[in-house]
Each structure stands twice: as C-alpha cells, then as structure tokens.
Amino acid sequence: MCRPTCRPSSTKRSNSPVVAPQGATVRVLGIDPGLTRCGVGIVDVTPTRRATLVDVVVIRSGTELPLEQRLLLVGDEIERLLDLHRPQAVAIERVFAQQNLSTVMGVAQISGVALHLAAKRGLAVGLHTPSEVKSAITGYGSADKKQVATMVAKVLGLDELPKPADAADALAIAICHAWKRGATVAAPGGSLTKAQETWLAAERSASKSAPKRRLRS
C-alpha cells in the first residue's frame, strides 16, 4: 500500500462526512481496480456538487505472491477503508476490452472482490466506463490521464496533481458517481465548474432527445 502525492489546499482529511447546509453530503468510495495497483479514493460531495478529498490510497500486490494471496491483500485493504470511512456508495471502473488479457483478468478479479465487499455492507454500487468518467470530469470522453488528474485536482482544491495515475483515476470515478447520482443545482451565489456545466448540458440534451413513451391504455 502507498499513500499517493496529493494535498488539499484548504481542507483536511476527515473520517466523518460533513453535512452541507443544503442537505446531506454523500460519501463515495471510488475504485480503479487492478491486481498490481488498485487505486481507492474517497470523497465527500454536497448536493451542490462541491467535492472534498477524504482519503486516497494505492494498494499494491507483488507479482511474486500467489493469486489468492494478492486478492486477499487487496481485498483486506479495501475492506479496511470501507469500515474506516463508511461511504454511502461505491463506484468502480467498469471492465472493458483490452489487448492484454492478463490485465483484464486482474481488473475483473479485483472488481469482483470489491463488489462482494460492497454487497456485504448493503452499499449502492455504480459501474462507470473510462469514457463516462472522463466526460464527467473533463467534459471530454477521450481526455488523457494528465487532463483527468488536472481536473480532479481543481475540483478537489488540491495543491498538486494526485499521483500516481491510479490515485487520480479512483478519485475521478468517485466524483463521477456522485455527480451523476447527486443534485444538480448550484449553491446560492455559487457556480459550477466547466466540467460540471458540460456534464449537466449533456444530461439535459440526452433527456430531451430521448423518445417519449406513451402509456398503454
């Protein structure tokens, strides 16, 4: 396990959610699944979509270990973080086709472990594709990792980019889930980021273009 490089500029890490004046803050634990490196990021997001860093960890398992021991190591650490931070939801990057079959297998195995741990605790789980996460954070579904990390740092008010990339990706997944499931109204006197505005515009456009269904009598 390693502690990634990222510091909030004006907020400290906390172990209990902060309740926003406009309503309940949601705490989301995001997972960028991987067998060698698994990013886990926890954020608090208010109904006005203001996000705060709670914690971020990159769990590592050595290739010299048997598969079952690697899964146990990663699973135990995810479980520890779930019990420590008590999120209301878990967000996981959805497995998608890659050329490297062994990488896909590792991602799928860790995803299964995370899904199992979330289900044991009765937590809501969201699966998000990489392009979905990139669109939510940057407004561009083909953004590169640096662009994602830059926007994550901006949204969370960090002094520097989260490193390594697994840390930034895990935080992006958590933020994406909260924004997609949460409130869409800016606070009085507040404003949304460019990425938030783009995401909301896409949501509204999709809603308007969706075919209307007639109720059958």
Side-chain angles (χ1 to χ4, degrees):
M1 181 187 76
C2 74
R3 291 287 173 181
T5 303
C6 58
R7 296 193 303 271
S9 58
S10 59
T11 57
K12 295 182 179 180
R13 291 178 179 176
S14 63
N15 289 332
S16 58
V18 178
V19 178
Q22 291 79 20
T25 291
V26 62
R27 175 164 290 183
V28 181
L29 184 144
I31 299 175
D32 180 32
L35 191 55
T36 301
R37 295 187 310 276
C38 178
V40 182
I42 303 97
V43 297
D44 284 342
V45 182
T46 72
T48 61
R49 296 193 171 205
R50 295 188 182 279
T52 303
L53 172 68
V54 176
D55 199 1
V56 62
V57 172
V58 175
I59 308 166
R60 299 177 185 271
S61 71
T63 56
E64 73 281 0
L65 295 174
L67 175 60
E68 65 274 17
Q69 291 300 318
R70 299 179 73 184
L71 293 174
L72 179 63
L73 187 157
V74 176
D76 282 351
E77 183 60 14
I78 292 175
E79 189 165 36
R80 184 188 72 81
L81 292 167
L82 284 168
D83 292 340
L84 174 64
H85 296 297
R86 299 183 179 278
Q88 283 81 47
V90 173
I92 305 171
E93 184 174 271
R94 186 186 295 275
V95 178
F96 67 104
Q98 295 182 4
Q99 291 182 346
N100 190 332
L101 181 59
S102 63
T103 299
V104 174
M105 288 294 294
V107 170
Q109 288 162 341
I110 296 301
S111 296
V113 170
L115 287 166
H116 170 73
L117 293 173
K120 278 179 62 177
R121 289 160 177 76
L123 297 174
V125 178
L127 299 175
H128 304 281
T129 64
S131 60
E132 183 182 353
V133 174
K134 292 174 183 178
S135 293
I137 299 300
T138 70
Y140 179 52
S142 298
D144 60 31
K145 287 188 176 295
K146 185 175 181 180
Q147 289 172 317
V148 171
T150 298
M151 282 306 301
V152 166
K154 183 176 181 180
V155 168
L156 294 176
L158 305 179
D159 289 330
E160 53 195 13
L161 302 187
K163 297 178 182 178
D166 312 270
D169 289 346
L171 291 169
I173 293 163
I175 295 168
C176 168
H177 183 80
W179 282 358
K180 186 173 182 181
R181 307 299 181 191
T184 59
V185 181
S191 60
L192 299 176
T193 67
K194 183 66 176 177
Q196 291 171 334
E197 291 173 351
T198 302
W199 178 251
L200 287 177
E203 284 182 329
R204 295 188 184 111
S205 176
S207 177
K208 290 179 180 178
S209 61
K212 303 293 184 181
R213 290 188 177 182
R214 292 185 178 181
L215 294 176
R216 298 177 64 181
S217 56

